[in-house]
Amino acid sequence: MAESTASLGDAPLAGWHFTGTLRTYQAQVLERLAPGSASALHIVAPPGSGKTLLGLLLAAREGGRTLVLAPSTTIREQWARTAAALAPDAAAVSTDPLRIGDLTALTYQALSVTGDGSPFEALARARWADELVDSGRTQAAAETWLAELAVDNPAQYRTGLRGRVKRIRRRFTRERPQAIARVLHPNAVALLERIVDAGVDTIVLDECHHLLDHWALVVAYLVGAIRERGGRGLVIGLTATLPDVADGTEFDNYTQLLGDVDFEVPTPAVVKEGHLAPYRDHVWFTEPVPAEAAFIRRHGEHLDALLAQVLSTPDGIRYLEERLQPADPDPPEDPSAESAPAAQTLEGTAAMPPPSPAALERALADDLPFTRSCGVVLRALAPQHPLCAILPPVLFERCTTDDLLTVLARFALTRLLPDPGAKRQWRYVKKALADFGLLLTDRGLRRGRDPVETTLAFSEAKDRAAVDILRLELSGADGARVKAVIVTDFVEHGNSRGLVGETAAGALRAYDFVVNDPLSAALNPVLLTADRIRVPAARAEELAGALAAHVGSAVQVRPGGVGPWRELDAPGVGSGRIVAAVSALMSAGSVRLLVGTRGLLGEGWDCPAVNTLIDLTTVTTSTGAPQLRGRTLRLDPAWPEKVAHNWSVSCLIPADVALDDATERRRLIRRHGHLLGLSADDDRIVRGLGNALSHATREALDRVLGKDPGSSVGQLGDLVRTEVMPRSETRTAWRVGEPYVAEEREALAVRSASVSALVPTTRAVRSAMPWAVLLGLAGSTGITALAASAVPITPAAGVGIAVTAGAALALGGAVGPLVREHRRRRDPAASFRGAAVALTRALAESGRIRPWDEAAIIVRNEGDLMRIELSGPDRRVVADAMEEIFAPPSAPRFLLRTDRDDIGGRASLIGMIAATRHEGLRGATFLAIPRTLARRRTDAEAFLRHWRENVGAAELIELKGEEGLALLALARRTPRVLDAAEPRTTLWG
C-alpha cells in the first residue's frame, strides 16, 4: 500500500487531494504511467478494483478539465460521488450536460445520435456523394444518382457502401470533426460544442468496451474538436474486460481510440489485496437426455445412410479408387502390363488393376490430407477392398466424422454437380449435408449452424445439471451460506433446429427444474426477466409484499396460477428497480436463488451476497466470460470469509456414440482462456482450463472425446465431484494479504520421458562409433605386434588378440559420448532449457524479439512433467514458437531431425511411412521449425546452430516432394513432447 497526500494537478483541478491509502496496483499505475506521456491511456482492471478512483487520479494529475462518460446513470453517480470527495468544492463536479464543471460525469447515451442504421453508413454515403461532386456532378445530381442506384441496383449500391464503410472504419479517428458532424444529430453536436467551449481537455471512458459505432464517432468528434482548438484531447480508457478480436466493430473502435493496453490489473491481485472475494472455477459434465441422445444417434445413422447411398455405390467406390490410385502421367512403355491380371473390387463393380503402391505415392504427393481421408473412408466402407492391403494403418487410422463429410462433399462437387443426370442426387446430398450444419454450394463447403452443436449447447441435461450442482453445494460445509444465480443466454431459445422436447431452452425451462426440485425450491428461487417475475407458489404473497416494500409500489400475484410457481405483476416498475429489489432480498436471505439471462444479470448487476454462479450460457468472449464471473466476486459484508464458486456446464456426446463433436470442449477452452484462477492441481494461479479441471480430469475428458471404450461421461463427472474442495481450503490457498509478484509467465508442459526426442542415445553412439572403430583398429594392430614381438604366438591367437583388443578400445572410444548423453538424460531440465535458449537466441538474431535475458527461462521438474516457464516482454512470441517446435507438426517448411540416420533414405514413400511400425524406429523424432524462423533458410540454420550448441546433434531437413510428405507423416507419428492434457498455460504471481 502507498500513502498519497500530494496535490493532484494544476488548474482547473488544483487543490484536488486524495489522503487515503492507495492499493498496490493503483500506486503502480500512477508510478509507471507518467503524466503528459501519451495521448491515450488504456487501463484494464476488474470490477471492485477501484477503477473509479484510479481514473480520477490519472485525470486530476493531468490538470485539464475533465469529462467522464459512463455506461449507466448508476455508474455516473458513483463517479460524481467519488470526485466530490476529492474536490475542495463539490460544485466543481457536475452531472448536468447544461452545466459543464471542472469534472462532468455523463452517460454515453447523453451523447448518443438518433436515427436508424449505422452512422458509418451515413458517413460513407456522404463520402460517396463528395466523390461524385469532385468528378464534376452537382450536389443535387450526385444525391439523385445515389438514390436511383439504391433502387435500380441495390446489390451494387450496397457493395459501394460497404467498401467505403470499411475504409472509413480503418481511419475514422483521423476524420475531421466537420465530416463526422454531418452524421450526428444536431442536438448531439450542440452538446459536444458546449463541452469543447468549456475547455474540457481530458475524456475518461468508463467500461470503454461499450464503444459502439455511434459512441465511437462521438468520442472521435470530441477528441478531434479539442485538438483542432489547441487542446491535448487526452483519452483515458478504463474497462474490466477487453473486447475480443472476434468482436469486429468493437475491437476496431477500441484499438483506434485507445491503442494497446498500458497497464492491466489482474483479478488475482485484487483478491490478494482483499478487495475481491477468493474464488474457484469448476466444470460439471453431463450427457444429452435420452430424447436428445436419440436425435444425435439418428444424426449419425443419417450420415451412415448417406454414405451407404452415395459412396458405397459403384460410382462412389470408383471415385475412391481413382483418388487413391491416380493414373501415371508418364506411364512406362511395357507391353506386358496390358496382360496383367485384373483384380475385382466389390461385387457389381468393374475390375481394376492390382493395387499399386507407386500410384498411392502419387496420390499422397498430390494431396496428402484428402488422400488420407479417402483411404480411411474406403477402409470403413469396404474393409475387404484390395486397396486396403496397401494402406499403412499408421497413416490410415480411425475414420472420423470430418473425414466422411470431407470426402462426401468433394465427391458431390466433382462428380454430381457437373453431371446433369445426377441432379436429384446432388440435391439429396446438399440437403443431407445441411442437416449436419454444412452448406454445400458450387463454391465448396462451409459450416453453418450445426444442429448437434445446438442440441449440446442448449441441452435439457444442463438444466438438470444446475439442480445437481445446487445439491452438491448445499451438501458442503458452507451449504447454509449458498446464494446462487443461474444465468442463461435467452428467456426462451428461439431456434429449435436440432432441439427436441416440448420446452425451449432458456431461463424459463431452467427455472421449472429448480422450482420443481424440493431441495432447490427451498432456496425460494426467483425467475427474473425483462417482463417476467416468477416465485414459488407457497411464498408468492410473502415475496410480493417484500418486493413491494422495496420498490415502493404495488406488486401483486397474478390470479389463476397453478403448479409450483406463480407470476408476479409490478405495473409501472422498471426492470432495474425489480432487479435491485430482488438483490436486496438475496442479501437479506429471504431469496437464495435467482434465475435470469445475462442481458439482465450480466455487466452492471451488483449483488455482493451472491457466491455461486451456474453459467448455462454459451459466452466465450474476452468481455463476456470475465464479466459474468465478476458477479460473484464482490465482498459480502454479511460473510467476511466469502469464497465464490463459478460453474460451467458442458454436455458431451458419450464415448459409445460414433459421431464426433468437440465444440463443447472448444467452448470451455476459449472461455477459460480469458480467466485467471487457482489451478485445480495446486496453489498456482493460472489462465486456461487448468484453473477448472485437474490434470487427471483433463486426461479423462480427452479419453471421452477420443472415443475410448473404457471411458464414460459418468466417470468423468464422478472424478469432478471428488475434486471439489471446501471453500475454506480455497480461501487458504489464495493466501490473501500475503505479498505477491504481479507478473505473468507463459508455461509449456513437456513430458520428462520425451527428453529422448532432444538427445537420443543412438545418435551419440553413431557419431562416436566411427572414431571408436578407427581407434580400435589402430590400437589392436599395435597391441598384436607388441605381443608377437615379446611372445611367439600362432596366427589364430594373433587374430583373437586383435579382435579382443580392438573391441575393447572401440567400446572405450564410445564410452565418453555415451556418458555425456547419459548425463543429459539424467538432467532433462538442462536439455529443455537448452532448447529454449537456442530458440530465444535464434529469434533475437532474426529480429523477431528483443535481446532475451536467459535468466527468464526456468525449467521446473514436476516428476513426469517438466514445466518450461518464460517471462519477459516477448514471452508470448517465444512460447508460441516453442509450442510449434514441440507440438505434432502441421505443415512446416523445415523439420529438425534428431532420429536415426536411416530415416529418409528409402526410395519408397509408402515404405517410409510403413517404417514407423519397425521397432527400431519407434523413437524416431522430428521437431518442426517454427514459422517465424522458417521464412528464411538462414534463420532456420541459425536455430540449428544454436540447437547443436545448447542441446545436441541435429539435422535440418527442408520438406520437398514425396520424401518430404513421408517425413511429415512420420513426424506426425512420433511420440508427443508436449503434455496432451495441458500443453500450455499462463501463470500469474
Side-chain angles (χ1 to χ4, degrees):
M1 299 289 184
E3 296 291 335
S4 177
T5 58
S7 175
L8 298 176
D10 299 325
L13 300 185
W16 287 47
H17 292 274
F18 175 67
T19 57
T21 301
L22 292 174
R23 301 175 187 178
T24 301
Y25 46 82
Q26 290 173 331
Q28 288 174 341
V29 173
L30 293 170
E31 177 185 345
R32 295 185 189 179
L33 303 182
S37 60
S39 60
L41 298 176
H42 188 186
I43 314 297
V44 179
S49 60
K51 288 195 302 293
T52 302
L53 175 61
L54 181 58
L56 289 170
L57 297 179
L58 287 168
R61 73 176 187 173
E62 297 291 342
R65 184 162 285 178
T66 299
L67 171 70
V68 175
L69 295 177
S72 68
T73 55
T74 302
I75 298 176
R76 179 197 67 190
E77 294 302 319
Q78 176 184 320
W79 276 90
R81 287 193 302 271
T82 308
L86 297 178
D89 181 3
V93 180
S94 171
T95 58
D96 183 357
L98 299 178
R99 185 181 72 83
I100 306 301
D102 289 342
L103 184 138
T104 304
L106 303 176
T107 64
Y108 287 105
Q109 291 85 346
L111 304 183
S112 176
V113 297
T114 60
D116 299 327
S118 165
F120 280 107
E121 290 191 0
L123 199 56
R125 195 181 192 281
R127 173 69 56 78
W128 199 348
D130 288 345
E131 292 169 1
L132 293 172
V133 171
D134 290 342
S135 67
R137 300 178 190 240
T138 65
Q139 185 70 38
E143 295 291 346
T144 300
W145 184 86
L146 285 172
E148 291 175 348
L149 180 65
V151 173
D152 298 338
N153 193 344
Q156 187 59 45
Y157 176 77
R158 287 193 299 270
T159 298
L161 210 57
R162 277 197 302 269
R164 288 166 176 83
V165 165
K166 189 174 181 180
R167 289 194 294 273
I168 289 173
R169 280 193 188 282
R170 283 199 296 265
R171 59 183 307 277
F172 78 93
T173 56
R174 297 191 293 273
E175 290 285 339
R176 291 179 59 80
Q178 293 83 352
I180 298 176
R182 294 169 63 179
V183 299
L184 299 181
H185 192 279
N187 291 343
V189 174
L191 174 56
L192 293 170
E193 287 298 315
R194 190 181 309 122
I195 291 170
V196 175
D197 291 340
V200 167
D201 197 53
T202 300
I203 304 166
V204 178
L205 306 175
D206 191 19
E207 299 301 348
C208 49
H209 60 272
H210 284 286
L211 288 173
L212 302 174
D213 282 359
H214 51 282
W215 292 336
L217 277 176
V218 166
V219 173
Y221 175 91
L222 190 54
V223 172
I226 291 172
R227 292 173 182 171
E228 268 198 349
R229 301 186 193 185
R232 182 180 173 196
L234 172 67
V235 178
I236 300 175
L238 303 167
T239 185
T241 50
L242 288 167
D244 199 286
V245 175
D247 292 343
T249 298
E250 290 189 11
F251 185 79
D252 291 342
N253 294 343
Y254 213 93
T255 53
Q256 289 194 64
L257 284 169
L258 296 171
D260 294 332
V261 174
D262 294 299
F263 195 98
E264 181 170 3
V265 179
T267 300
V270 189
V271 173
K272 282 187 171 288
E273 295 207 21
H275 301 297
L276 287 178
Y279 60 94
R280 189 178 287 277
D281 278 275
H282 298 288
V283 180
W284 189 279
F285 292 102
T286 186
E287 59 185 75
V289 299
E292 295 165 346
F295 169 81
I296 292 171
R297 289 181 187 276
R298 286 197 303 273
H299 208 63
E301 292 167 1
H302 190 182
L303 176 60
D304 292 339
L306 182 64
L307 287 166
Q309 183 165 348
V310 179
L311 293 180
S312 294
T313 61
D315 191 34
I317 296 296
R318 278 196 300 274
Y319 176 76
L320 294 173
E321 292 170 352
E322 291 169 7
R323 293 301 310 182
L324 294 166
Q325 296 281 277
D328 188 347
D330 188 21
E333 297 181 4
D334 184 4
S336 63
E338 298 179 2
S339 59
Q344 293 292 324
T345 56
L346 293 178
E347 184 178 352
T349 65
M352 64 170 289
S356 167
L360 181 58
E361 288 185 22
R362 288 194 298 274
L364 289 166
D366 179 58
D367 190 341
L368 176 62
F370 186 64
T371 301
R372 196 202 69 80
S373 292
C374 287
V376 295
V377 168
L378 181 65
R379 291 186 64 187
L381 295 178
Q384 303 305 315
H385 193 287
L387 270 177
C388 293
I390 66 167
L391 301 178
V394 71
L395 184 60
F396 298 89
E397 298 180 289
R398 186 175 78 89
C399 181
T400 67
T401 303
D402 283 343
D403 289 318
L404 296 169
L405 295 175
T406 298
V407 174
L408 183 62
R410 186 83 68 90
F411 171 77
L413 203 62
T414 58
R415 280 292 179 86
L416 302 182
L417 180 62
D419 183 3
K423 186 175 182 179
R424 290 184 58 188
Q425 198 175 12
W426 161 263
R427 288 178 175 173
Y428 171 79
V429 173
K430 184 174 181 176
K431 182 179 182 301
L433 287 174
D435 291 338
F436 290 91
L438 297 167
L439 307 178
L440 180 63
T441 70
D442 56 4
R443 297 186 302 275
L445 195 66
R446 63 184 179 88
R447 188 166 293 278
R449 186 180 295 275
D450 185 349
V452 171
E453 179 183 348
T454 303
T455 301
L456 295 174
F458 302 105
S459 171
E460 181 182 305
K462 291 189 174 183
D463 298 331
R464 297 177 183 272
V467 175
D468 293 333
I469 292 170
L470 290 170
R471 287 178 171 274
L472 179 66
E473 291 285 5
L474 292 171
S475 67
D478 295 306
R481 295 184 178 274
V482 169
K483 294 178 181 178
V485 58
I486 299 174
V487 183
T488 66
D489 282 315
F490 312 99
V491 177
E492 287 185 292
H493 192 282
N495 180 9
S496 61
R497 181 177 179 83
L499 299 177
V500 293
E502 298 179 357
T503 308
L508 301 185
R509 190 178 72 183
Y511 184 76
D512 281 344
F513 276 100
V514 297
V515 80
N516 276 287
D517 178 79
L519 194 61
S520 54
L523 301 177
N524 293 329
V526 172
L527 168 79
L528 201 55
T529 72
D531 57 359
R532 288 185 178 89
I533 311 169
R534 289 182 182 175
V535 297
R539 304 286 299 277
E541 293 293 345
E542 175 189 344
L543 291 174
L547 288 173
H550 279 285
V551 300
S553 182
V555 178
Q556 300 172 338
V557 179
R558 186 178 298 176
V562 294
W565 53 263
R566 295 291 182 270
E567 199 103 35
L568 302 185
D569 289 323
V573 181
S575 60
R577 291 168 61 193
I578 292 295
V579 170
V582 173
S583 300
L585 295 183
M586 290 197 77
S587 297
S590 52
V591 171
R592 293 176 59 196
L593 176 60
L594 180 58
V595 181
T597 64
R598 60 186 172 95
L600 200 62
L601 303 179
E603 180 187 359
W605 176 58
D606 269 331
C607 183
V610 172
N611 52 51
T612 304
L613 166 70
I614 301 176
D615 182 358
L616 300 184
T617 73
T618 57
V619 64
T620 61
T621 64
S622 60
T623 302
Q627 284 284 6
L628 265 184
R629 275 143 188 78
R631 302 313 97 204
T632 62
L633 303 189
R634 296 284 191 181
L635 297 179
D636 182 2
W639 186 17
E641 302 298 305
K642 170 183 173 179
V643 174
H645 277 182
N646 299 319
W647 287 89
S648 295
V649 182
S650 187
C651 187
L652 305 177
I653 296 178
D656 62 348
V657 176
L659 195 65
D660 295 288
D661 190 284
T663 53
E664 288 284 281
R665 182 178 186 275
R666 289 195 294 269
R667 184 176 292 116
L668 284 176
I669 291 173
R670 287 197 301 270
R671 175 179 292 169
H672 287 273
H674 303 305
L675 304 173
L676 280 167
L678 278 179
S679 167
D681 291 297
D682 48 43
D683 294 347
R684 295 174 304 143
I685 295 174
V686 303
R687 187 193 309 277
L689 199 51
N691 63 37
L693 299 177
S694 70
H695 190 272
T697 304
R698 294 194 299 275
E699 288 183 328
L701 172 61
D702 288 341
R703 287 195 294 272
V704 171
L705 296 176
K707 306 300 182 184
D708 184 335
S711 64
S712 71
V713 178
Q715 293 172 351
L716 181 60
D718 291 341
L719 184 57
V720 167
R721 285 185 284 276
T722 62
E723 294 177 346
V724 177
M725 63 178 60
R727 297 190 190 220
S728 59
E729 292 185 20
T730 295
R731 185 173 189 87
T732 300
W734 271 99
R735 298 193 288 274
V736 176
E738 295 184 14
Y740 64 91
V741 178
E743 177 192 54
E744 282 196 6
R745 305 181 305 286
E746 294 299 311
L748 291 96
V750 294
R751 299 182 304 109
S752 299
S754 67
V755 69
S756 60
L758 280 62
V759 285
T761 302
T762 52
R763 183 174 288 278
V765 174
R766 287 195 308 276
S767 62
M769 193 55 71
W771 300 104
V773 169
L774 287 174
L775 175 63
L777 288 173
S780 63
T781 302
I783 290 172
T784 304
L786 284 174
S789 64
V791 180
I793 57 174
T794 65
V799 171
I801 291 173
V803 170
T804 303
L809 289 170
L811 180 60
V815 164
L818 283 173
V819 168
R820 288 193 294 272
E821 296 303 331
H822 179 66
R823 286 174 181 166
R824 288 179 186 254
R825 285 170 174 270
R826 291 187 61 185
D827 186 13
S831 295
F832 284 115
R833 189 178 188 282
V837 168
L839 176 62
T840 54
R841 290 180 181 178
L843 287 171
E845 279 187 19
S846 68
R848 302 293 191 274
I849 63 173
R850 286 158 281 191
W852 185 271
D853 180 6
E854 292 174 6
I857 302 171
I858 298 174
V859 181
R860 303 186 190 278
N861 191 333
E862 300 178 0
D864 292 338
L865 292 178
M866 311 289 295
R867 201 170 298 277
I868 308 169
E869 296 182 8
L870 306 165
S871 56
D874 293 317
R875 62 186 181 276
R876 289 191 178 90
V877 177
V878 177
D880 288 343
M882 183 159 287
E883 192 171 10
E884 279 191 73
I885 293 172
F886 292 144
S890 54
R893 178 185 174 189
F894 295 102
L895 288 175
L896 191 70
R897 172 176 155 188
T898 61
D899 59 280
R900 289 175 46 157
D901 289 333
D902 57 352
I903 298 295
R906 302 170 183 269
S908 167
L909 174 67
I910 302 304
M912 293 170 68
I913 295 173
T916 56
R917 292 175 294 179
H918 191 278
E919 189 65 32
L921 304 179
R922 295 296 171 88
T925 303
F926 301 84
L927 304 175
I929 300 295
R931 287 187 294 268
T932 53
L933 294 175
R935 293 170 187 158
R936 296 183 301 188
R937 186 179 186 92
T938 53
D939 293 340
E941 289 172 345
F943 177 58
L944 173 65
R945 184 179 72 254
H946 290 299
W947 183 279
R948 287 172 172 169
E949 293 170 356
N950 293 279
V951 184
E955 180 183 351
L956 188 68
I957 301 175
E958 185 171 6
L959 299 184
K960 292 181 179 179
E962 296 180 6
E963 181 177 339
L965 288 169
L967 291 173
L968 181 57
L970 287 177
R972 290 171 176 170
R973 297 295 305 168
T974 53
R976 293 184 65 100
V977 177
L978 286 175
D979 176 45
E982 185 189 31
R984 179 177 170 183
T985 190
T986 300
L987 305 176
W988 182 89

